[in-house]
Amino acid sequence: MWPEDFRRVYRERGYWTGQTFDDLLRERAEAHGERIAIVDGERRVTYAELRDRALRLAAGLHGIGVRRGDRVVVQLPNTAEFFDVVFALFRLGALPVFALPAHRSAEIGYFCAHTEAVAFVTTDVHEGFDHRTLAAAAEPATLVVAGDPGGHAGLATLYGEADDVARLPAGPAADEVAFLQLSGGSTGLPKLIPRTHDDYLYSVRASAEICALGPGSIYLAALPVSHNFTMSSPGVLGALHAGGRVVLARRPDPATVLPLIERERVTITAVVPPLARLWLEAVESEPTEPTGPTGLTARPDLASLAVLQVGGAKLADTVAARVGPVLGCRLQQVFGMAEGLVNYTRLDDPDEIVLHTQGRPISPDDELRIVDDADRPVPPGEAGHLLTRGPYTIRGYWRAAAHNRTAFTADGFYRTGDLVRRRPDGYLVVEGRAKDQINRGGEKIAAEEVEHHLLTHPAVHDAAVVAVPDAYLGERSCAFVLVRPGAVPPTLPALRRHLRERGLAAFKIPDRVEIVDAFPVTGVGKISRRELRAALAATQKG
Ligand code: AMP
Ligand code: DBH
């Protein structure tokens, strides 16, 4: 948490206002309760209804023992219930832990155990996976299921009555932790990111302003709502803050999303680079046949779309250049992290900036340092490690004292692990990454986490997971495996099955396996991932 002198400054400068998420929703419901807040398929939820549902659910959750400060792992797809649940927890001061729909028993089990969660709220079946089967992983947390509960506690039965709401205890203060967001991480287990009402709402308000959101804005959530980008940059919370409307897409494919943009007159949405390409290709292919290869029946009318935000991974210049001409909207590049710092190109920036940079920070009080391996500032304009501190960047991960000593500097700067260059105009260009992470089209994979799971295979003596450049996803993952003496080298399908059976999210399962006799090592004897990546690049060229 921030030292007292920083807290004072952040308050004095008006960043931290003392507003909680519950205050925000109450104020919006009082000001314009009849307006539509959320569109989920055929369902339309007004601000007043959302507030009412959240309060009644808060009462119900309180009834099953959820208290201020408790953690509740939430794994819901893009549905209206997601908002009921998180605003209910915000009202109680209980902390949602934002799992992604792609997470499986390995991740859910860890989140529940590490946070000592009192409940795990999930869905019935999504994208062919029965989330109720995660009950065992969630033990001893109470499983609450949205949709068909199948013998577990049903979310729908938990909404209380007005008298229950009246008896609710006081909610949290704005400087308390509001929720735990996930880090893509680079070490063994995913890290949890504690964000307060004060700091997060500042980033939401400022992001909404940068993105010119207002009551007429209609934000389409195509990526998972629980992801930091979709939630806050400016995301669904930015749209609600502005008194606008959130439209939920269950899936981000062009056949789902493009007709939704047309039908709901969406004005802004956010994607990762591979999705941007997929949407561009779908629109460019201009289908004339009913249900062409993309599943579209006609070229959708995207005239309402003013802004397409792209972030989560580096956007290629060639793709950036196609967004405006093909989709007829403004591109905005977003370089952010759940730990805090978010950079945007501004809507009125010239094309040169929008097409070739990853933006500049939200806040005048975002402090950035670009340094060499010894933490010395690099000469202006040169690439170096990005360190940052500011009014909405955490000072430490949740219950991770040992890791925090290396992930943050002594004076509280977060080591992003990104290599960036700052141009004379203050805009950042992401040049690469120094952390052991694979960025698979915006989905982050911590090499060490996957290696740990690979090591549990009986034939694996040692393993190193690295990124392989990929034309479509930017990067895919490759596992280098050293086979135990005398063991039969495992095949890619066998290793993938092993990891799936261990309950690892699908996006973390290596795309490729290379069996090696020895690992290249660095001067101090660590496995040299750099040399492994170079070896892969050489085989790809050959
Ligand atoms: P996380 O810490 O898991 O929230 O992931 C944030 C990381 O995603 C950043 O530190 C970057 O490595 C990467 N990232 C996000 N946006 C961009 C972008 N626009 N360009 C390049 N990398 C990005
Ligand atoms: O990748 C990210 O984590 C990210 C990207 C864009 C993010 O957290 C954000 C914007 O807020």
Side-chain angles (χ1 to χ4, degrees):
M1 285 293 192
W2 297 264
E4 191 46 47
D5 45 339
F6 282 85
R7 307 169 82 87
R8 199 183 54 244
V9 169
Y10 294 155
R11 288 199 181 98
E12 277 168 10
R13 302 205 173 152
Y15 303 140
W16 296 3
T17 62
Q19 186 189 45
T20 64
F21 292 105
D22 184 55
D23 295 332
L24 169 69
L25 186 58
R26 188 190 61 245
E27 287 162 23
R28 292 294 168 271
E30 283 169 2
H32 44 73
E34 71 303 338
R35 252 191 236 158
I36 304 292
I38 292 163
V39 178
D40 174 4
E42 299 310 311
R43 252 180 93 187
R44 278 159 201 273
V45 183
T46 66
Y47 278 88
E49 284 163 349
L50 174 57
R51 166 84 173 145
D52 178 61
R53 293 180 63 83
L55 289 180
R56 288 192 295 113
L57 187 55
L61 288 167
H62 191 259
I64 62 164
V66 178
R67 295 289 181 271
R68 181 164 165 182
D70 284 348
R71 277 77 57 196
V72 173
V73 177
V74 177
Q75 183 190 40
L76 290 171
N78 292 3
T79 54
E81 284 82 10
F82 175 86
F83 294 86
D84 298 349
V85 171
V86 301
F87 278 104
L89 294 171
F90 290 153
R91 168 62 185 80
L92 291 173
L95 280 52
V97 181
F98 288 123
L100 293 167
H103 286 138
R104 294 293 177 261
S105 59
E107 291 90 3
I108 297 297
Y110 168 72
F111 299 146
C112 289
H114 182 53
T115 69
E116 300 168 276
V118 299
F120 168 49
V121 182
T122 192
T123 188
D124 44 17
V125 178
H126 177 65
E127 296 285 324
F129 180 76
D130 188 339
H131 287 258
R132 295 165 298 198
T133 61
L134 296 172
E139 287 286 353
T142 306
L143 178 67
V144 178
V145 181
D148 174 3
H152 301 280
L155 183 73
T157 63
L158 283 183
Y159 293 81
E161 301 298 331
D163 345 335
D164 308 322
V165 172
R167 283 196 300 270
L168 278 173
D175 60 359
E176 288 176 30
V177 174
F179 58 84
L180 299 175
Q181 186 52 273
L182 305 183
S183 162
S186 55
T187 56
L189 290 163
K191 296 293 173 288
L192 297 169
I193 298 170
R195 302 289 300 260
T196 63
H197 299 259
D198 267 335
D199 89 78
Y200 208 63
L201 274 174
Y202 166 52
S203 78
V204 166
R205 278 195 317 273
S207 295
E209 195 179 323
I210 288 168
C211 299
L213 295 192
S217 297
I218 303 179
Y219 177 89
L220 176 76
L223 299 173
V225 273
S226 47
H227 191 276
N228 196 60
F229 187 9
T230 328
M231 190 175 295
S232 68
S233 301
V236 295
L237 291 177
L240 296 179
H241 160 77
R245 185 178 293 189
V246 171
V247 175
L248 298 170
R250 290 293 159 101
R251 323 182 61 233
D253 59 298
T256 303
V257 155
L258 299 178
L260 205 49
I261 294 177
E262 172 173 334
R263 188 185 91 183
E264 298 294 338
R265 314 305 299 155
V266 167
T267 62
I268 177 169
T269 186
V271 293
V272 288
L275 263 183
R277 276 181 56 170
L278 206 61
W279 292 13
L280 288 169
E281 278 154 24
V283 172
E284 279 167 336
S285 65
E286 215 176 335
T288 47
E289 302 286 312
T291 339
T294 55
L296 291 174
T297 48
R299 187 170 187 144
D301 174 7
L302 304 180
S304 61
L305 190 67
V307 179
L308 179 71
Q309 303 183 286
V310 185
K314 181 82 178 263
L315 178 65
D317 290 6
T318 48
V319 181
R322 282 157 62 204
V323 170
V326 175
L327 300 179
C329 66
R330 195 82 190 127
L331 167 68
Q332 180 179 53
Q333 294 213 41
V334 189
F335 162 43
M337 51 209 74
E339 287 81 356
L341 181 71
V342 183
N343 303 276
Y344 296 98
T345 59
R346 304 308 200 252
L347 300 182
D348 55 358
D349 278 340
D351 280 353
E352 189 278 318
I353 288 179
V354 173
L355 299 182
H356 304 296
T357 81
Q358 280 65 59
R360 62 179 164 87
I362 289 180
S363 177
D365 278 294
D366 280 321
E367 300 174 72
L368 271 58
R369 276 189 203 151
I370 300 175
V371 300
D372 65 15
D373 289 342
D375 280 354
R376 288 175 304 230
V378 297
E382 283 187 18
H385 302 279
L386 175 65
L387 313 183
T388 185
R389 181 169 86 170
Y392 60 98
T393 296
I394 56 163
R395 292 302 188 102
Y397 291 103
W398 198 72
R399 296 192 182 169
H403 179 65
N404 287 340
R405 281 193 280 278
T406 53
F408 295 82
T409 64
D411 55 353
F413 279 74
Y414 167 55
R415 298 182 187 276
T416 67
D418 295 310
L419 296 173
V420 308
R421 159 168 82 77
R422 186 167 29 194
R423 310 193 329 168
D425 58 10
Y427 281 78
L428 301 179
V429 177
V430 178
E431 297 282 3
R433 197 174 53 230
K435 50 192 169 188
D436 288 332
Q437 189 183 73
I438 296 102
N439 190 330
R440 195 176 183 279
E443 292 188 300
K444 317 302 188 304
I445 305 166
E448 199 182 309
E449 186 187 5
V450 181
E451 289 159 5
H452 159 78
H453 285 281
L454 283 168
L455 287 174
T456 63
H457 189 281
V460 175
H461 179 65
D462 206 352
V465 177
V466 301
V468 203
D470 180 79
Y472 178 61
L473 288 173
E475 293 177 0
R476 285 182 195 268
S477 64
C478 176
F480 283 86
V481 168
L482 210 61
V483 178
R484 209 172 271 291
V488 180
T491 60
L492 175 63
L495 279 178
R496 292 174 59 96
R497 193 172 343 107
H498 177 73
L499 297 181
R500 261 197 309 277
E501 283 166 1
R502 290 186 59 81
L504 205 60
F507 68 87
K508 296 181 188 170
I509 295 180
D511 296 294
R512 181 171 158 183
V513 168
E514 294 285 327
I515 305 289
V516 291
D517 300 328
F519 287 129
V521 289
T522 64
V524 290
K526 289 202 292 185
I527 294 179
S528 171
R529 288 191 172 74
R530 188 199 308 256
E531 278 188 53
L532 289 174
R533 282 192 292 265
L536 272 180
T539 60
Q540 282 199 324
K541 280 191 205 96

